[in-house]
Structures are given as C-alpha cells and as structure tokens.
Amino acid sequence: MSHIWPFLPARAVNITSLIEFDRLAAEALANPHARGYGWRVHRLDLRERDSILRSLDLSEAIFIDCQYSPAGRELVQATGGLCMSSGTQLPFQTSERDLYTAAEIYAGIDDKPYEQVPDALIYAYSQQHSTPEVTDNDSAMATTLHDYQISQALVSEVYDGAFKDSPLIGVMGGHAMTRGSEHYAQTVELGQLITRAGCAVATGGGPGAMEAANLGAWLADYDPQDVDAALQMLATAPDAIHQRTQWARTALAVRDRFPSTHQSLGVPTWFYGHEPPNLFATKIAKFFTNSIREAILLEQANGGLIVLPGAAGTVQEIFQDACENYYATGARVVPMVLLGREYWTETMPAWPLLKALAAGRVMEEKIALVDTAEEAMEFIGSMSTLRRRTRW
C-alpha cells in the first residue's frame, strides 16, 4: 500500500500526453461526479480543450507548464484547479522523479561557486517564498508536491532499489563536527563498520557527523592508509558554512581519487539550507519540510540507531525515536545506541532520562551507552531481530 501523504490524494495520477488526458477526461465525464481526482497534468497543449476544462471538477488537479487558450487558465482556476509554472520560476522538479545524487544537486561546482549550483538556487527559492508577504498557493503546492515525489522515490529505493537487501542503520549527530578532528575520523570508522556488516548508512545528509558517516560507507573497501589520505585531503577545507565551494570541491576530489560502489542514504532539508548536503551519500532525499524529513529518516532506520554527540536537533531525534520505541512491542522496537559516555551523561545528559523512560519496557534491553564504534556495532549485532519493514 502506498504511503498516504497528508497533503495530497492517496493516488496521484501523472498525465504527460494528450491521449492520456483525453482518456481520463472521458472516464471522469462519464462519472456523475466528473472529477479530476489527483491529476498532475505536465506540459500539455490544452488550447483546444476548453470544453473539457469547463465541464470537470478540477479542485484536486494541478496543471504544470501547460499551454491554454485565452480563457483556458481561467477555466481551470474557476473549477478549482491549480496552474503552476516551473522552468525559470521553479528551480526544482515537481513531477515523478528519482532521489537526488550529488552530481545533480551540485551540478557545475567544478567551475561555479556554490551559490550557483542547484542546491543553492533551490534554497534561495525556498527563502524567497517563505514569508507571508510572498507565499502563494503555487509556491506552497510546488514544494509540497516536490516533497511528495521525493518521499515516493525513497519508498522505491528502500523496498525495491538500492536498500532493499540492506538494513538501514541511522547515524545521528551534529553538523559542527569538523573535518580533521578525531571525532570525525571515528565516525568515518563507524560508517565503514556498518557497511562492512552488510547494512547501509542513513544520515541527515548534512556536513559534520553526517558527512563522516556517509564517507565511511563510501570508503568501506579502503585500507587505513587510503582513509588517512582522504581525511587529509578533506581537512584542507573543513568549514562547510564559510567555505562551501571549496568544501564541496575537496569532497569531489576525494570521490574521484577513491571511487566506490557502496550505497548510503542522506536525508537533508532546505529548512536548514545554510548547511550544504554532503557529497558522499549516494542517494539524497532532500525535503523542504523538516518535520516530514525527520519522521521519514527515523522510520526507515529499521536496523538500529546510533547517536553521536549533537545539540538540540540530535536530542530531539533521540526522544522522537524513543517515543516510538516506548509504545512499540517485540521486533518493532529498534536498538538505540548513544555513543560517548561522558557527553551523554555529563555534557548533554540525555542518557539518564532515556534509561528512566525505558525502565520496565521492551525497549529497556535495546538501548546502550558506549564509547567506541566497535561497541556500538557489537550491541546492534547482538539484537537477533530487526524491525520488519512495512510500507507507509
């Protein structure tokens, strides 16, 4: 069963040819309710379809980049339809699509500054349309439709694509972890261990700890000498916020020098668009809506969750997942490991609260506090079952 997106019909119908449009219109007109339910009409010449547009209830239909007669657009809008434009107005795709790749989202970074690559242009669009003064139905629906298509692409990758045979282990941690630091190197090791165990790394897709874990997956087949060389290259541009262009280019240089076939997932958001997505996640599910992105990431980490030191966002993720585990039973309780005893007991004492919350529940046996990547993977490996994946 498909996931029922909260803002769109359960089944969106993408219409990309006039033959298909005419067929579906005839079916709708034969129905007493005559409704264009869930239609997403893409780039069609509708200049000779005024009689159809006038006759249908289009209150749940979206027309994207279509051509109309002088009265056509008004006919669509009069019956409740939404007319949208892409191209120069929308720097992102609203029709059915695959997940992003680093090559797509950073297209042109070799000779352009970060501010001119698609990721930055999309972020700029989101900011321009995020205030009450400029927000309109077109832009709001465009971002919602985009997120719907990305969610469906992620479902395909998890159940039928790159991750169908690899349990996803979520690695949570803050963006502030810098390239060249000891913690960064340890997180790379964690990503390697996860991938070598036959699982797939899933992160929030940003810089810092998230990049390090995805990098570990990328470098899973390389020996320590090569890993050290990659880390030294990255350390020359450690700041993702103030060195975005060079930060991205050094990552590309590492990718070119150390090619990889390992898949990992990044789930970033333009809500935190000032943090660029890392280039080592091979599948990138980037969303506009952060709350949906967080829920999806935690839901799909069916192999377990490993939490590295982080601030408010990381703490939120701990207890968002803990809430699900608190009420879950049996195999649906996912193992959770907090990595860093001192940090999680003194600096940010989430562990005592998590332990108190788990007392007497099934989840009590599936949480752990450790100090090393090896201990984290040993604990997750000791869990005999993984949460069974269920489609949304």
Side-chain angles (χ1 to χ4, degrees), residues 20-345:
E20 187 178 17
F21 177 84
D22 289 340
R23 178 181 64 81
L24 291 173
E27 292 177 2
L29 289 171
N31 186 304
H33 299 290
R35 195 175 193 182
Y37 186 80
W39 287 10
R40 307 290 177 259
V41 185
H42 300 271
R43 301 180 178 87
L44 297 190
D45 184 348
L46 301 173
R47 286 175 291 185
E48 298 181 1
R49 299 299 189 277
D50 283 3
S51 61
I52 294 175
L53 298 177
R54 183 181 294 108
S55 303
L56 287 170
D57 175 359
L58 299 172
S59 57
E60 296 184 31
I62 301 174
F63 293 76
I64 305 165
D65 291 338
C66 292
Q67 294 176 273
Y68 310 93
S69 72
R73 179 181 292 267
E74 286 73 22
L75 289 173
V76 171
Q77 294 171 339
T79 56
L82 180 63
C83 299
M84 293 170 46
S85 299
S86 62
T88 57
Q89 295 184 38
L90 283 182
F92 53 88
Q93 193 172 317
T94 57
S95 56
E96 186 175 354
R97 57 156 301 134
D98 295 328
L99 294 182
Y100 290 102
T101 64
E104 178 185 4
I105 213 163
Y106 279 100
I109 192 66
D110 285 332
D111 53 17
K112 297 178 182 177
Y114 170 78
E115 291 73 19
Q116 295 179 22
V117 304
D119 184 65
L121 297 176
I122 297 171
Y123 177 52
Y125 173 92
S126 72
Q127 293 303 292
Q128 291 165 1
H129 293 267
S130 63
T131 63
E133 292 78 11
V134 298
T135 298
D136 53 39
N137 288 337
D138 282 11
S139 59
M141 185 57 75
T143 56
T144 300
L145 183 57
H146 167 276
D147 282 4
Y148 170 79
Q149 301 292 3
I150 291 297
S151 75
Q152 298 294 38
L154 180 54
V155 168
S156 295
E157 290 292 355
V158 169
Y159 295 101
D160 304 311
F163 307 113
K164 68 176 182 178
D165 298 319
S166 303
L168 284 166
I169 295 182
V171 180
M172 307 299 173
H175 68 274
M177 184 184 291
T178 58
R179 294 171 173 179
S181 69
E182 181 180 353
H183 290 306
Y184 188 95
Q186 291 171 345
T187 305
V188 170
E189 180 186 3
L190 174 62
Q192 288 183 298
L193 291 175
I194 291 171
T195 306
R196 290 169 182 170
C199 299
V201 170
T203 77
M210 297 169 279
E211 179 189 55
N214 288 124
L215 173 61
W218 183 276
L219 297 175
D221 291 338
Y222 288 91
D223 59 33
Q225 183 177 352
D226 289 328
V227 174
D228 287 344
L231 293 178
Q232 289 174 20
M233 291 174 64
L234 293 172
T236 62
D239 194 331
I241 307 301
H242 300 98
Q243 297 177 290
R244 289 188 180 93
T245 301
Q246 195 57 34
W247 179 87
R249 288 175 180 171
T250 58
L252 281 179
V254 168
R255 284 164 48 104
D256 290 343
R257 180 172 172 183
F258 302 102
S260 177
T261 59
H262 291 292
Q263 301 281 351
S264 71
L265 175 65
V267 190
T269 173
W270 280 290
F271 183 81
Y272 296 127
H274 62 288
E275 300 175 13
N278 80 71
L279 290 86
F280 296 107
T282 56
K283 302 291 183 180
I284 301 174
K286 192 158 188 177
F287 291 88
F288 288 101
T289 306
N290 186 53
S291 59
I292 295 172
R293 163 253 191 176
E294 288 179 340
I296 286 175
L297 176 55
L298 292 171
E299 174 66 23
Q300 293 308 315
N302 71 310
L305 195 67
I306 299 174
V307 187
L308 306 171
T314 305
V315 173
Q316 176 184 332
E317 288 163 347
I318 290 173
F319 291 102
Q320 186 173 343
D321 194 67
C323 183
E324 289 192 16
N325 279 345
Y326 182 87
Y327 291 108
T329 58
R332 291 194 61 81
V333 178
V334 179
M336 180 190 294
V337 183
L338 305 192
L339 205 164
R341 290 179 185 273
E342 181 178 353
Y343 185 86
W344 292 119
T345 57

